[in-house]
Amino acid sequence: MQDPLDQELDRMDKLPKRGLYWVEFSAYALGINIAPRKRSSTHCQLVRIVVLLINLSIIYSLVAFIMANYQVSFETYVEAVLLTFQLSVGVVKMLHFQNMLEASVQLVHSTETGQVLRSLGLFDLDLPRKKELLASLSAILLDNWLIIDRQVMFFFKIVTMPVLYYTMRPYFQYIFDCYIVRDTCEMTLTYPAIVPFVQLGKYEFPSYVIRFFLLQSGPYWCFFAVFGFNSLFVVLTRYESGLIKVLRYLVQNSTSNSLVPKHLRVKYLQCCVRLFARIANHHNQIENLFKYIILVQCSVSSVLICMLLYKISTVLEVGWVWMGMIMVYFVTITLEISLYNVSAQKVETQSELLFYDWYNCNWYNESRDFKFLIKMMLLFTRRTFVLSVGGFTNLSHKFLVQVFRLSGNFFLLLRNMNNK
């Protein structure tokens, strides 16, 4: 007979997970199939090559604009610099996750199907209130998936705003110039860039229309890279914090007379130790997957925040319309870096609370074997689960404040240099 917890995990696996669906779709749009059990990988290599070539051509066009206006003023090409950084980070992420595809697939599969909790042996014990225990564990996991969906979809809405702005800006600009100001009726490019072309008599190759839609695709590639891979981190870490919540609940009830009979408590605690070992392995896999890409993301985000602050200081003199656009971009970048730190802090906080749960159960009235397991787990859980930034420091609320402070210092330096 199948384990009741495994049956419940099978049921949860079939439930719709909107946040995870959009994460998988965003990665798939870049040619990276992190859920091969759902989608075919037949054309992924071709899609990756096409996406990479398009992104590199857009980056080249942006760099060409920066070089052409380098002697004018920083305000002229600061937007092109922002987009260049964003697209470049997207390309780096795409190459990184393609290189770590096997680890990504394994983590997504383990998260979605609940492999960490399967065959735990907990419900093989003759526990008197298995249904109540199963219902409690199921409630924790379902509530955790709801939190994941809400957080991922909130980030989805935030990232969509700058994409809509860059997509619709040339059309609104055309309407404004042609029908309101009645000055010129020419369709402008989506953002400042110089796309190379060849003049063949009266014809241009590639044509203006192709160049226009080439730049139009840039915000979408940024969206897929920013939303897809950042939200993947949120899904994995939030699920890990949910697993720790499950373990905390089990440990808190390890000495409950109504739930665990005294003669089964050692075996029950061994199942808890087994779950802790699996969570630790799951955590190490997340750490290895994101450790270095987080370093790249944090470094670039601090530069982007600095430039956005500078852009805001110059836009104040232009008007509130431009100010609103820059603020949307600023909120997106800020939320992007905040998601990493807030999610990692959640895991660290839950692991800290787990240490106290091991100690606060009534272990002093239990058998020698029970006490030995508690002492062993107190030694292991003294070191909390943290996610590092390239091995230099750890993601946390404190590190988030340091990033903002560093960006502010860079902004002041940049403004002083430009004033001189």
Side-chain angles (χ1 to χ4, degrees), residues 317-332:
E317 303 173 0
V318 178
W320 290 102
V321 176
W322 283 93
M323 181 65 177
M325 182 276 293
I326 294 298
M327 286 304 298
V328 168
Y329 205 162
F330 180 77
V331 170
T332 303

Side-chain angles (χ1 to χ4, degrees), residues 237-248:
T237 50
R238 282 288 178 174
Y239 180 75
E240 182 186 352
S241 67
L243 291 176
I244 300 175
K245 283 184 181 179
V246 169
L247 179 56
R248 288 184 57 210

Side-chain angles (χ1 to χ4, degrees), residues 51-227:
V51 171
L52 185 61
L53 291 175
I54 292 175
N55 276 270
L56 291 177
S57 64
I58 296 174
I59 292 171
Y60 177 84
S61 303
L62 291 167
V63 173
F65 179 86
I66 295 170
M67 298 304 296
N69 296 272
Y70 182 73
Q71 300 295 334
V72 181
S73 67
F74 185 69
E75 292 89 344
T76 307
Y77 59 86
V78 62
E79 187 177 7
V81 173
L82 288 169
L83 293 169
T84 302
F85 272 112
Q86 199 66 58
L87 284 166
S88 300
V89 171
V91 171
V92 171
K93 286 182 178 179
M94 188 175 71
L95 296 176
H96 171 77
F97 282 96
Q98 174 58 30
N99 187 49
M100 304 286 289
L101 183 60
E102 186 177 349
S104 303
V105 170
Q106 184 178 353
L107 275 171
V108 171
H109 180 265
S110 175
T111 298
E112 192 170 13
T113 60
Q115 290 297 322
V116 175
L117 293 168
R118 289 182 181 272
S119 303
L120 199 59
L122 187 64
F123 287 88
D124 293 336
L125 304 177
D126 190 19
L127 301 175
R129 301 174 64 180
K130 289 184 179 181
K131 290 184 178 180
E132 290 83 348
L133 178 61
L134 181 62
S136 299
L137 299 183
S138 178
I140 294 173
L141 293 172
L142 288 174
D143 183 64
N144 192 55
W145 276 113
L146 289 176
I147 293 173
I148 291 173
D149 284 343
R150 284 198 296 266
Q151 188 167 1
V152 170
M153 296 313 298
F154 173 74
F155 186 54
F156 177 89
K157 295 172 184 176
I158 295 296
V159 178
T160 302
M161 289 192 288
V163 175
L164 289 176
Y165 168 78
Y166 278 112
T167 303
M168 301 305 297
R169 182 170 73 172
Y171 301 105
F172 283 109
Q173 187 70 44
Y174 177 81
I175 294 172
F176 180 79
D177 292 339
C178 191
Y179 297 102
I180 298 178
V181 180
R182 298 181 182 275
D183 184 12
T184 58
C185 290
E186 294 182 1
M187 184 70 77
T188 58
L189 295 176
T190 306
Y191 39 81
I194 299 177
V195 183
F197 64 93
V198 178
Q199 187 78 33
L200 299 175
K202 296 181 179 180
Y203 301 99
E204 297 176 351
F205 182 79
S207 66
Y208 183 84
V209 175
I210 294 177
R211 301 200 303 272
F212 175 82
F213 284 105
L214 174 69
L215 295 181
Q216 278 267 297
S217 67
Y220 294 98
W221 306 127
C222 285
F223 170 82
F224 291 136
V226 170
F227 171 77

Side-chain angles (χ1 to χ4, degrees), residues 20-49 51 94 97-98 101 105 221 224-225 227-229 232:
L20 184 59
Y21 168 80
W22 278 104
V23 170
E24 294 171 351
F25 175 79
S26 298
Y28 193 70
L30 296 174
I32 301 174
N33 189 6
I34 59 175
R37 71 186 186 123
K38 298 179 182 178
R39 302 170 185 87
S40 172
S41 302
T42 305
H43 304 291
C44 282
Q45 186 175 0
L46 177 61
V47 172
R48 277 197 311 275
I49 294 173
V51 171
M94 188 175 71
F97 282 96
Q98 174 58 30
L101 183 60
V105 170
W221 306 127
F224 291 136
F227 171 77
F229 299 129
L232 176 61

